[in-house]
């Protein structure tokens, strides 16, 4: 009854009705946390990514990825470190899955490394790579944990980058072949598939901002890459469904609720463009075979390399919608300013305060505010954003089944030697308490959320930040690969067992 009323409440509200952030408190009242309940059967899990945890960068016939090339280039990663060993999970996965089981986890989102399966990105599969993931999946199932597969979490075979990377439309076909191989060999046991982790970031960070490999700075390459990724998403959908009758297909999009800087029509329109570009660009392509109103004017189809008939090729009706939540954005209009090229990378997002906004097409500026406290990794804590984002996607996409594919916070707490090495990371517990209370509120108001994946199971290689940020529920001592469950991990295990937060 409450859920039905909530659905009615969500329906009919438009983006413009979302209150500006100054109207909402930054912190969540304890009473809301105490009342929060999650439905029976709710799937609690964690998320990881191949390059961030596996190590074994050249084992068993694996090819070189763009992240191998990047980290092996001096001066690219903080501290000069690499993911060559990372958490050594390629060899220690049984131990890590046993820890997840101990924390009552029921879903493990992991990614498969494309160059382990096709070392140069095309052609016959490397059976040693497939065998590894087959054993990994069997171990998850034996532990009662649902295997949830991301097919691509940023580790493109270097050989495909050498053929033009994602701006090369041919990659959509190569990716569909790869997806078909995965579904054929693992689809008897994996039923939950998503093609890409954070496709916007793959295109923007890699090809426009130069912040991640291959570090190009071309807005036209960014737009071409985005179109190839959308085509690849749909091609993978067709390939996976054809190879595995049990397959369900969804997504792992990055999203941040966008609030207009002022109440002006221009800033509200800019916030809507941010939402279209950064949050739902690929969801809209999959759902309707078109791109949303992310641009000032018409989408630049010519620059993207859009061809007649692509509207049909883009369609990939998702069985469920997966997205991440970390923080929020305040967005202002830049359509009247002269564009000046520029940008800088901060953690997981682009901040660009250059005159003229972020790029010549979308013409907005997005900033992460600092009204709320910041995590050690520099992201603003704004729990209310979870409620706003989940309810917005619910009403805009007709109440789909939702999975939160990542959500978490970077804090550097380590072992306290006076407490036998215990890791008292209270700030992380509080972050999850508040964000999850807002998620429970969205569910009570009608959002059909069935799973939450904390980022991440264990501290790992944090991309260009190296090992200087820790997002794990489990502490990794990178000197000896020892794992220690943090207080937050123990707490999350109790949450998973009880479906409540006051534990
Ligand atoms: O570590 C990353 C992950 O690979 C993608 N989403 C954000 C996380 C934290 O920055």
């Amino acid at each position: 009854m409450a859920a039905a009323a909530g659905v009615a409440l969500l329906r009919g509200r438009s983006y413009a009705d979302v209150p500006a952030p100054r109207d909402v408190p930054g912190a969540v009242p304890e009473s809301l946390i105490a009342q929060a309940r999650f439905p029976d059967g709710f799937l609690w899990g964690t998320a990881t990514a191949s390059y961030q945890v596996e190590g074994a960068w050249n084992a068993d016939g694996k090819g070189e990825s763009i992240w191998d090339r990047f980290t092996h280039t001096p001066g690219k990663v903080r501290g000069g470190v690499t993911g060559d060993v990372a958490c050594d999970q390629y060899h220690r996965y049984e131990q890590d899955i046993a820890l997840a089981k101990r924390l009552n986890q029921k879903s493990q989102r992991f990614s498969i490394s494309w160059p382990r399966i096709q070392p140069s990105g095309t052609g016959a599969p490397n059976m040693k790579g497939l065998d590894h993931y087959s054993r990994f999946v069997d171990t998850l199932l034996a532990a009662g944990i649902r295997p949830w597969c991301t097919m691509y979490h940023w580790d493109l075979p270097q050989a495909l980058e050498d053929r033009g990377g994602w701006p090369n439309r041919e990659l959509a076909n190569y990716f569909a072949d790869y997806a078909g191989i995965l579904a054929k060999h693992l689809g008897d046991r994996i039923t939950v598939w998503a093609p890409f982790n954070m496709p916007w970031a793959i295109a923007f960070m890699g090809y426009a901002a130069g912040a991640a490999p291959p570090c190009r700075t071309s807005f036209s390459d960014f737009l071409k890459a985005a179109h190839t990724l959308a085509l690849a998403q749909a091609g993978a959908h067709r390939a996976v469904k054809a190879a595995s009758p049990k397959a369900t297909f969804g997504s792992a999009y990055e999203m941040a609720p966008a609030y207009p800087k002022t109440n002006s029509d221009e800033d509200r329109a800019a916030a809507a463009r941010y939402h279209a570009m950064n949050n739902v660009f690929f969801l809209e392509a999959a759902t309707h075979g078109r791109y949303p109103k992310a641009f000032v004017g018409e989408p630049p189809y010519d620059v993207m390399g859009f061809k007649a008939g692509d509207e049909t090729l883009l369609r990939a009706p998702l069985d469920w919608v997966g997205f991440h939540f970390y923080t929020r954005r305040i967005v202002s209009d830049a359509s009247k300013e002269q564009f000046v090229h520029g940008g800088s990378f901060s953690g997981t997002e682009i901040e660009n305060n250059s005159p003229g906004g972020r790029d010549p097409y979308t013409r907005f500026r997005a900033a992460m505010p600092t009204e709320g406290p910041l995590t050690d990794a520099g992201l603003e804590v704004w729990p209310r954003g979870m409620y706003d984002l989940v309810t917005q996607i619910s009403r805009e996409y007709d109440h789909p089944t939702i999975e939160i594919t990542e959500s978490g916070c970077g804090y550097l707490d380590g072992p306290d030697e006076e407490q036998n090495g215990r890791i008292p990371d209270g700030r992380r517990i509080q972050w999850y308490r508040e964000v999850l209370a807002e998620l429970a509120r969205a569910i009570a108001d009608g959002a059909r959320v069935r799973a939450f994946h904390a980022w991440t199971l264990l501290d790992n290689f944090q991309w260009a930040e190296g090992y200087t940020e820790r997002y794990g529920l489990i502490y990794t001592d990178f000197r000896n690969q020892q794992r220690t469950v943090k207080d937050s991990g123990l707490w999350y295990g109790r949450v998973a067992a009880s479906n409540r937060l006051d534990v």
Side-chain angles (χ1 to χ4, degrees):
M1 182 64 194
V7 169
L9 185 90
L10 293 172
R11 221 170 254 144
R13 282 184 72 198
S14 71
Y15 172 77
D17 297 327
V18 175
R22 60 187 166 279
D23 297 329
V24 299
V28 173
E30 278 299 313
S31 56
L32 192 69
I33 295 168
Q35 283 162 23
R37 297 288 180 274
F38 289 82
D40 287 347
F42 190 80
L43 290 160
W44 295 97
T46 60
T48 59
S50 49
Y51 189 76
Q52 293 182 268
V53 294
E54 285 179 350
W57 77 278
N58 57 1
D60 291 340
K62 176 181 166 293
E64 185 190 25
S65 78
I66 56 174
W67 272 92
D68 294 320
R69 179 70 62 91
F70 182 76
T71 60
H72 293 162
T73 306
K76 296 291 186 190
V77 177
R78 194 175 294 247
V81 297
T82 72
D84 289 2
V85 177
C87 304
D88 195 30
Q89 196 183 70
Y90 192 78
H91 301 112
R92 297 171 193 259
Y93 66 89
E94 287 175 323
Q95 173 197 359
D96 289 343
I97 291 170
L99 282 168
K101 181 178 178 179
R102 213 177 103 200
L103 301 183
N104 303 312
Q105 301 305 288
K106 289 286 179 279
S107 181
Q108 182 63 49
R109 176 174 167 247
F110 66 98
S111 79
I112 290 184
S113 161
W114 188 350
R116 285 196 197 284
I117 307 302
Q118 291 176 296
S120 57
T122 59
N126 167 28
M127 292 314 293
K128 283 189 175 170
L130 281 168
D131 288 347
H132 168 74
Y133 291 108
S134 183
R135 290 190 295 272
F136 183 88
V137 167
D138 285 344
T139 309
L140 284 173
L141 289 169
I145 299 175
R146 176 183 72 158
W148 193 124
C149 178
T150 314
M151 292 179 257
Y152 180 93
H153 196 126
W154 303 358
D155 37 4
L156 184 70
Q158 180 63 41
L160 291 184
E161 182 51 40
D162 296 343
R163 293 162 81 164
W166 286 110
N168 174 2
R169 187 182 166 109
E170 276 300 301
L171 261 70
N173 297 328
Y174 302 148
F175 187 75
D177 290 345
Y178 161 64
I181 291 171
L182 296 187
K184 177 176 165 205
H185 290 272
L186 302 168
D188 55 334
R189 287 155 292 154
I190 300 178
T191 59
V192 184
W193 301 90
F196 296 112
N197 178 69
M198 300 168 63
W200 176 85
I202 297 167
F204 196 85
M205 303 299 188
Y207 296 93
C215 301
R216 282 191 233 168
T217 52
S218 154
F219 285 111
S220 58
D221 279 354
F222 153 58
L223 292 171
K224 285 187 178 63
H227 187 46
T228 307
L229 287 160
L231 290 167
Q233 165 178 256
H237 180 271
R238 289 186 286 273
V240 166
K241 292 280 181 171
S244 169
K246 292 200 252 177
T248 70
F249 195 94
S251 59
Y253 302 131
E254 66 266 58
M255 293 196 190
Y259 306 91
K261 185 172 181 185
T262 71
N263 223 12
S264 70
D265 289 348
E266 289 80 8
D267 283 352
R268 289 156 75 92
R273 288 201 299 284
Y274 177 98
H275 181 64
M277 183 75 245
N278 290 60
N279 293 346
V280 299
F281 192 79
F282 296 92
L283 177 54
E284 194 75 2
T287 311
H288 300 297
R290 67 175 181 227
Y291 292 122
K293 295 187 187 342
F295 308 97
V296 173
E298 278 295 293
Y301 290 118
D302 287 353
V303 185
M304 298 174 102
F306 200 98
K307 293 186 182 166
D310 281 358
E311 320 77 72
T312 312
L313 288 179
L314 285 172
R315 279 179 187 268
L318 303 185
D319 297 302
W320 43 270
V321 178
F323 56 90
H324 310 350
F325 169 76
Y326 284 90
T327 188
R328 66 172 171 157
R329 288 287 176 269
I330 302 291
V331 184
S332 56
D333 179 52
S335 64
K336 294 185 190 66
E337 295 173 31
Q338 204 179 353
F339 171 71
V340 176
H341 183 273
S344 64
F345 183 55
S346 91
T348 60
E349 262 280 18
I350 284 291
E351 303 301 324
N352 183 346
N353 292 315
S354 64
R358 196 182 57 165
D359 68 49
Y361 300 101
T362 53
R363 310 305 301 267
F364 57 75
R365 277 196 233 135
M368 189 196 65
T370 53
E371 194 183 336
L374 302 186
T375 66
D376 288 347
L379 299 188
E380 189 201 26
V381 181
W382 198 259
R384 164 76 195 238
M386 174 66 101
Y387 177 88
D388 291 341
L389 180 62
V390 169
T391 52
Q392 183 176 3
I393 296 300
S394 269
R395 66 177 176 267
E396 288 179 351
Y397 288 90
D398 199 18
H399 310 286
T401 299
I402 289 173
E403 298 219 3
I404 304 301
T405 37
E406 282 182 26
S407 195
C409 47
Y411 289 111
L412 288 168
D413 308 274
D416 182 340
E417 297 316 333
E418 286 173 12
Q419 297 189 63
N420 267 336
R422 182 187 145 208
I423 298 157
D425 59 334
R427 292 175 298 172
R428 180 173 285 100
I429 295 175
Q430 188 59 13
W431 192 96
Y432 278 113
R433 290 174 88 235
E434 297 193 20
V435 167
L436 285 167
E438 292 289 359
L439 180 61
R441 192 159 72 86
I443 294 171
D445 280 357
R448 297 172 51 219
V449 185
R450 73 173 181 202
F452 178 88
H453 298 88
W455 183 268
T456 177
L457 180 65
L458 71 172
D459 297 334
N460 57 40
F461 178 81
Q462 179 59 16
W463 306 115
E465 305 305 319
Y467 296 99
T468 64
E469 293 180 355
R470 290 180 177 270
Y471 278 84
L473 296 168
I474 296 171
Y475 184 87
T476 307
D477 185 335
F478 293 103
R479 295 167 305 183
N480 56 20
Q481 293 296 342
Q482 194 180 317
R483 277 73 158 137
T484 307
V485 180
K486 301 178 188 178
D487 280 5
S488 60
L490 299 169
W491 174 84
Y492 192 61
R494 294 195 295 275
V495 170
S498 64
N499 286 334
R500 51 196 294 165
L501 304 175
D502 55 345
V503 292

